[in-house]
Amino acid sequence: MKATNWRRLIVDFRLFGILLLMMVVLSFVSDRFLTVDNLTNVLWSVCLIGIMSVGAIYAPITGGIDLSVGSIAALSGIVANVLMNVYGLNWMLAIFITLGIGVLIGWVNGMVTTKFLVPAFIVTMAAKTYLFGVAMLVSNGDQITIMQPKEFLIIGVGKFLGIPIPIYIMIILAVGSHILLKHTVFGRQAIAVGANEVSAKLSGVNPDRTRIIVYIISAVTATIAGIVMASLTQQAFAMNATGYEFDVITAIVIGGTSLMGGNGSVTGALIGAVMVGFINNGLNLLDMPSSFHPIATGLVILIALIMNQGFSLPGAVKKVLARFRTAESLK
Amino acid sequence: MSANSPLLLECKGIDKNYNGPMVLANVDFSLKRGEIHSLVGENGAGKSTLIKIITGVTNRNAGSIVFEGQSVPVEHNKIASERLGIAVIYQELSLIHGMSVAQNIFLTKEPLFAGLPIIDINKMNRLAQEMIDKYGFDLRATDIIDKLPIAQRQTVEILKALSNKASLMIMDEPTSSLTSTESAQLFKIIRLLKSEGITVVYISHRMEEVFDLSDRVTVLRDGKLVTVLEKEQISPAEIIRLMIGRALSEDESRHRMVKKEGEVVLEVEHLCCEGKLKDISFKVRQGEVLGFGGLVGSGRTELMRAIYGIDGFDSGRLTYLGKNYVPSVEKSIAGGYGFVPEERRLQGIMGGISIVGNIGVANLDAISNSAGFVSGTKEREKADKAISLLKVKPANPDVLVGNLSGGNQQKVVVGKWLIRDLKLLIVDEPTVGIDIGAKEEMYQTIERLACEGVAVIVVSSDLPELTRLSDRIIVLRKGQIIKEFAEGVVTEEDVLRAASGIVEGGTQ
């Protein structure tokens, strides 16, 4: 086995270890935790963030970021509902057109980022804002309940072999994204662009094309999440996915992906999403008020980031002592 | 050690390993007050590590350090070493852009209005200007760093060190990006520092400089001390022999044999690019090394970028392998070009990813199938092949390229092209900042490629390198071809004269 793979594995395993530790702690805290029903519920609750994360991860890998995924998801649910229940389109056709709109949104994000040289942070923040506006406009700001078609509603609430369908969608997309990143030309190119754009370009990679595809992937997975969300909640509402982009970035960062570009782990992002799910689930089981959720999530991001910097407590203590001793010796 | 000059710094039995092989083993290193002391060795010999230990950037595993009679603790750090009076003039300059010279010099120790936490800007500028004038530097305290050339920025670094009352200044490859005039200016400053009683540690791959400046030379090889040469023992050939552990053979330093004429690989006709290039025409043949000389800014790099397809051009015609050719990077690579850019760290390597990753990116066509899936096995085979072709050290394809020495990084940048069906290789400043051993290997690689029938274009500011490698040399000046030297008739002086605009019979 190769050295870097080991390192990667240890990082992934460390995450997995923390995940297991959380499970052990939570199972002591509440006897309701370690039940198939509850664990399924956790996965179900994180599947929207999970689906978005495994697609949005390519933005940080190329050194960018996508803050528009939440608004894209909200808009997709609304658009799908309008297509099906206002224009009476077949549900599959409606999904297909919604995905097409997702591709278009991603393409615009990518084009503005690459051709007009506006930082992705700004471009996607603007997209987040105006897409939210469009979603409000299309839905009149209403919280629309989706009653039909039944086939559409099955996507979110249906089960296969006792497991909700959204979980299958998340796992399939995660596997696909993992293969795309680790085993395809596109994955190599995305990593190269993030590692050193100039060098990648001189080696024959087209950084602009790569980036545009990256934002399309991100927007498409956000669209899929939006469709699943609309079906799951039986609701189309512009505020439905507000702030999801931050949960997505949280999951990606906890998973060990650097926001500076050049590396990334889809499995890590997925584990990151599940961790956030566990935290919220644990707080629910403990009957903590919901205001604790963001506090806990924020702390977890900080801890994850500090650990990813290679921080260790004994090392830190040693350093502080050394500084003290040097200061003494200079007196 | 001579007794009349007390030692400023004495390191004894320094050991260092970074959780692996020994990088330094039982190294002794001592500095006298007010001497210019060169530290030489090939890349990976342990020079940088030794400096890092002295400056507290990293900590030693064993050994003792005494500075100005005070013992330096193992858990040394950078701030403490600055307080002791040790300054490093960095290779990658550490000044803050957007700030003035004075602001940089007095950073964190700005003079304040009495008792108030407000910076006294006038006083700061005055103090800085007094320092500048005292040493006779060509600078103004209020100049903004960004507008100064590299050489002057170095001067600011030196001023900053002086203002910290440094008694030891360490200069790591200070001339690597300076012109020869600027270098001469720097040497003057170094001698001035010496006369002020400041000790200078000088690290350079340029043997003439080491020879000219040094009072003593410490030679390291493979993490061990080879010897310390006294002034009268110093000669460039001797230093090189000690550094690489053998003498350069006659063969290695002599010009290559003349070969028969091959097919034309690339022909450039009347290439023009507004403000950069004017009416450039030349041919390069199979098996030929065509050198491009000229001063920095003469349009050499711009020409290479144009024929590789990075930047467009206004008019002109390219013929590649007998066909009309409009270059683009992707087409060029697919057609058998290789390109080694000028700035290795910024343009050549992807430091944060592995050797495999770096080599794979330029060979994605060869390691993937038509559906776009990469074969991990093929990818590693390619990387292993490049590593063994160029003897990259360490020969571990999973090492991050950013952790390799300069010479090995360059091998990776070159290596990714060698495993392709290469027809034309363009190398821009192939050996900047790499050590003598790796340089020699790079030359041999280029010569071997030419023997195999590859057309090679070499751009270099290093005249011995250019004359050594090239069959023909074209000299550019202000975007134009000013002179072409045919095989075997060119000396370094000729190239320099042409590049500076001095042609037979007068100045152009």
Side-chain angles (χ1 to χ4, degrees), chain A residues 2-4 179 183-185 188-189 191-192 195-196 198-199 201-206 209 262 318 322 326 330, chain B residues 75 80 83-84 308 310 329-330 333 341 346-350 353 361-362 364 368 372-374 379-380 398 416:
Chain A
K2 305 147 278 177
T4 38
I179 292 172
H183 300 285
T184 70
V185 169
R188 294 290 194 281
Q189 290 177 333
I191 290 170
N196 182 348
V198 180
S199 170
K201 190 174 172 185
L202 295 180
S203 300
V205 178
N206 183 335
R209 192 177 59 204
K318 242 172 89 181
T326 320
L330 286 172
Chain B
E75 297 281 358
R83 231 177 285 155
L84 287 171
Y308 185 51
I310 306 167
V329 174
E330 279 159 86
I333 293 172
L346 297 178
Q347 306 171 335
I349 61 161
M350 289 175 269
I353 63 179
V361 168
L364 286 169
S368 64
F373 285 94
V374 171
E379 188 181 33
R380 297 188 71 79
D398 294 308
K416 65 185 176 194

Side-chain angles (χ1 to χ4, degrees), chain B residues 231-500:
Chain B
K231 179 98 190 159
E232 56 278 5
Q233 299 170 301
I234 302 171
S235 82
E238 177 68 1
I239 296 173
I240 290 169
R241 191 185 63 78
L242 291 168
M243 272 170 58
I244 60 180
R246 66 190 161 86
L248 284 179
S249 68
E250 183 69 0
D251 205 37
E252 282 169 313
S253 46
R254 203 187 52 210
H255 199 278
R256 201 158 38 90
M257 292 298 294
V258 176
K259 293 180 314 299
K260 71 173 170 57
E261 243 180 38
E263 300 278 311
V264 173
V265 175
L266 178 74
E267 178 167 11
V268 176
E269 289 167 284
H270 311 297
L271 190 91
C272 292
C273 188
E274 182 68 42
K276 290 188 207 160
L277 300 169
K278 243 187 281 172
D279 196 26
I280 306 270
S281 302
F282 67 89
K283 287 179 199 171
V284 58
R285 293 171 186 278
Q286 272 186 342
E288 179 185 41
V289 181
L290 174 61
F292 273 88
L295 303 177
V296 171
S298 60
R300 301 171 307 175
T301 298
E302 288 74 8
L303 176 60
M304 297 309 131
R305 289 174 65 94
I307 61 179
Y308 185 51
I310 306 167
D311 305 326
F313 46 87
D314 300 331
S315 63
R317 202 178 121 91
L318 265 63
T319 312
Y320 181 61
L321 301 175
K323 289 197 194 81
N324 189 28
Y325 183 60
V326 182
S328 79
V329 174
E330 279 159 86
K331 272 199 294 179
S332 295
I333 293 172
Y337 271 62
F339 186 85
V340 178
E342 189 182 14
E343 304 227 23
R344 174 171 61 248
R345 212 172 46 81
L346 297 178
Q347 306 171 335
I349 61 161
M350 289 175 269
I353 63 179
S354 64
I355 299 181
V356 183
N358 271 269
I359 288 175
V361 168
N363 290 281
L364 286 169
D365 51 351
I367 60 175
S368 64
N369 62 16
S370 53
F373 285 94
V374 171
S375 152
T377 334
K378 275 191 201 162
E379 188 181 33
R380 297 188 71 79
E381 277 171 14
K382 290 280 179 193
D384 286 335
K385 198 173 158 197
I387 288 172
S388 65
L389 259 177
L390 290 179
K391 304 192 191 72
V392 178
K393 274 179 225 156
N396 175 358
D398 294 308
V399 173
L400 298 186
V401 171
N403 294 343
L404 299 178
S405 68
N408 283 299
Q409 290 181 348
Q410 190 72 333
K411 286 182 187 176
V412 172
V413 180
V414 175
K416 65 185 176 194
W417 305 117
L418 299 195
I419 49 178
R420 302 183 64 83
D421 180 16
L422 198 61
K423 298 195 173 66
L424 172 66
L425 179 67
I426 301 170
V427 290
D428 196 347
E429 301 288 5
T431 64
V432 166
I434 73 177
D435 65 73
I436 287 202
K439 236 180 197 178
E440 194 51 48
E441 284 178 71
M442 192 59 66
Y443 295 163
Q444 286 170 7
T445 303
I446 289 171
E447 284 164 1
R448 194 183 65 230
L449 286 170
C451 287
E452 288 165 4
V454 177
V456 185
I457 297 180
V458 177
V459 174
S460 179
S461 299
D462 184 342
L463 294 178
E465 170 171 300
L466 201 62
T467 47
R468 146 103 203 254
L469 283 172
S470 315
D471 295 318
R472 282 185 300 137
I473 294 176
I474 292 175
V475 180
L476 294 186
R477 181 173 157 76
K478 295 181 180 167
Q480 268 178 302
I481 293 183
I482 192 150
K483 188 111 177 111
E484 178 168 341
F485 294 101
E487 211 149 5
V489 300
V490 60
T491 66
E492 291 165 32
E493 199 189 336
D494 295 334
V495 177
L496 193 58
R497 286 166 67 100
S500 325

Side-chain angles (χ1 to χ4, degrees), chain A residues 38-85:
Chain A
N38 186 54
L39 290 181
T40 309
N41 272 333
V42 173
L43 279 182
W44 205 358
S45 73
V46 300
C47 68
L48 296 176
I49 300 301
I51 290 171
M52 288 178 171
S53 303
V54 299
I57 194 170
Y58 289 91
I61 287 172
T62 53
I65 196 162
D66 191 346
L67 296 174
S68 64
V69 289
S71 293
I72 296 175
L75 179 63
S76 318
I78 291 166
V79 168
N81 179 55
V82 167
L83 291 173
M84 291 182 301
N85 293 324

